[in-house]
Amino acid sequence: MESVDQFLQWIKESDNIVFFGGAGVSTESGIPDFRSVDGLYNQQYKYPPETILSHSFYRQNPEEFYRFYRNKMLCLDAEPNITHIKLAELERAGKLKGIVTQNIDGLHQKAGSKNVMELHGSVLRNYCERCMEFMSAEDILHSEGVPVCPVCGGPVKPDVVLYEEGLNQKTLQDAVYYISHADVLIVGGTSLAVYPAAGLIDYYRGNKLVLINKSATPMDSRADLLIQAGLGEVFSKVEV
């Protein structure tokens, strides 16, 4: 594919690459995405996932929230795939400056990436709402009902951004900084349908916007290079 050759050439020539990714980065690690045909949004629950994963639902039905959360959001056995691994290698080589991710699975860090901006938080961090004591994802997974703080008995909440909640401003500012200063911006595995995350592309000022996604997105016409393929297929060709 000519477009993949061009992509590899841009990577070879640049030492200021930023990667912006969504659920499609982790599907090859066995973590379901939300919007594809077999994604979470098309599976049957008493409530739609958008409702369950909202701030108000969490407040009103914490037990049902945690039932879904343990069942569908905690994929703690998942391992990084070739895309995570190659991105970590590019960072170690000094070519990739940062990763901006909408994912909450921690797989970029598991692969060895250091500068990861998690727009929607992480399932690996959970805090008591009363005393801020940390609780691991394993502890959440093996707890029952609504997890309680081992120190003060207060309710524990995952450090993930639920619907109706705002993004962390510092994370957002960092993401804007890296995207706006990037030479090459690689956008991969995202439908670019979730705001404010999708709007971050507007801050890119360069002329090497690479969009890699299996299906069409609303931003396709803005890409300098459009590759309609799976991320693993493309990143497996990257040589660092």
Side-chain angles (χ1 to χ4, degrees), residues 45-108:
Y45 263 83
K46 198 168 157 190
Y47 305 91
E50 298 105 318
T51 302
I52 298 175
L53 296 174
S54 68
H55 179 83
S56 50
F57 189 92
Y58 168 76
R59 289 281 173 239
Q60 288 153 18
N61 304 280
E63 286 212 19
E64 183 67 11
F65 169 87
Y66 267 111
R67 195 171 71 83
F68 178 88
Y69 183 78
R70 284 188 192 93
N71 194 13
K72 292 292 180 188
M73 309 303 286
L74 292 180
C75 307
L76 303 184
D77 294 334
E79 291 295 332
N81 60 53
I82 189 70
T83 304
H84 297 109
I85 291 162
K86 289 291 185 181
L87 287 167
E89 287 177 4
L90 287 169
E91 184 185 41
R92 277 196 296 277
K95 298 177 79 60
L96 183 89
K97 298 306 181 204
I99 291 171
V100 180
T101 180
Q102 299 174 75
N103 296 340
I104 57 175
D105 51 44
L107 288 179
H108 284 297

Side-chain angles (χ1 to χ4, degrees), residues 179-180 182-185 200-209:
I179 288 172
S180 63
D183 168 32
V184 176
L185 176 63
L200 287 170
I201 290 180
D202 295 341
Y203 292 95
Y204 178 60
R205 301 184 188 134
N207 59 357
K208 295 187 179 78
L209 172 58

Side-chain angles (χ1 to χ4, degrees), residues 66 70 135 139-140 143-149 154-156:
Y66 267 111
R70 284 188 192 93
M135 196 168 176
D139 287 341
I140 297 286
S143 64
E144 289 183 10
V146 180
V148 293
C149 173
V156 173

Side-chain angles (χ1 to χ4, degrees), residues 38-228:
D38 51 358
L40 287 182
Y41 280 17
N42 292 310
Q43 295 176 16
Q44 292 308 304
Y45 263 83
K46 198 168 157 190
Y47 305 91
E50 298 105 318
T51 302
I52 298 175
L53 296 174
S54 68
H55 179 83
S56 50
F57 189 92
Y58 168 76
R59 289 281 173 239
Q60 288 153 18
N61 304 280
E63 286 212 19
E64 183 67 11
F65 169 87
Y66 267 111
R67 195 171 71 83
F68 178 88
Y69 183 78
R70 284 188 192 93
N71 194 13
K72 292 292 180 188
M73 309 303 286
L74 292 180
C75 307
L76 303 184
D77 294 334
E79 291 295 332
N81 60 53
I82 189 70
T83 304
H84 297 109
I85 291 162
K86 289 291 185 181
L87 287 167
E89 287 177 4
L90 287 169
E91 184 185 41
R92 277 196 296 277
K95 298 177 79 60
L96 183 89
K97 298 306 181 204
I99 291 171
V100 180
T101 180
Q102 299 174 75
N103 296 340
I104 57 175
D105 51 44
L107 288 179
H108 284 297
Q109 291 93 329
K110 204 171 183 180
S113 292
K114 300 283 185 258
N115 190 22
V116 183
M117 289 149 269
E118 296 174 309
L119 294 174
H120 297 151
S122 171
V123 297
L124 302 182
R125 297 187 299 270
N126 306 274
Y127 297 100
C128 171
E129 294 196 82
R130 196 180 293 160
C131 75
M132 291 308 290
E133 177 73 16
F134 173 86
M135 196 168 176
S136 74
E138 283 83 5
D139 287 341
I140 297 286
L141 186 61
H142 297 119
S143 64
E144 289 183 10
V146 180
V148 293
C149 173
V151 176
C152 78
V156 173
K157 183 178 185 291
D159 186 16
V160 298
V161 179
L162 301 176
Y163 289 100
E164 305 163 352
E165 293 180 345
L167 302 192
N168 178 287
Q169 285 307 299
K170 164 103 177 54
T171 309
L172 208 48
Q173 285 162 4
D174 289 347
V176 167
Y177 175 84
Y178 279 95
I179 288 172
S180 63
H181 287 80
D183 168 32
V184 176
L185 176 63
I186 306 166
V187 179
T190 170
S191 60
L192 292 170
V194 176
Y195 282 83
L200 287 170
I201 290 180
D202 295 341
Y203 292 95
Y204 178 60
R205 301 184 188 134
N207 59 357
K208 295 187 179 78
L209 172 58
V210 185
L211 194 46
I212 308 170
N213 202 48
K214 282 181 178 174
S215 51
T217 81
M219 306 281 188
D220 285 2
S221 62
R222 290 173 54 178
D224 298 297
L225 195 57
L226 182 64
I227 304 174
Q228 289 196 310

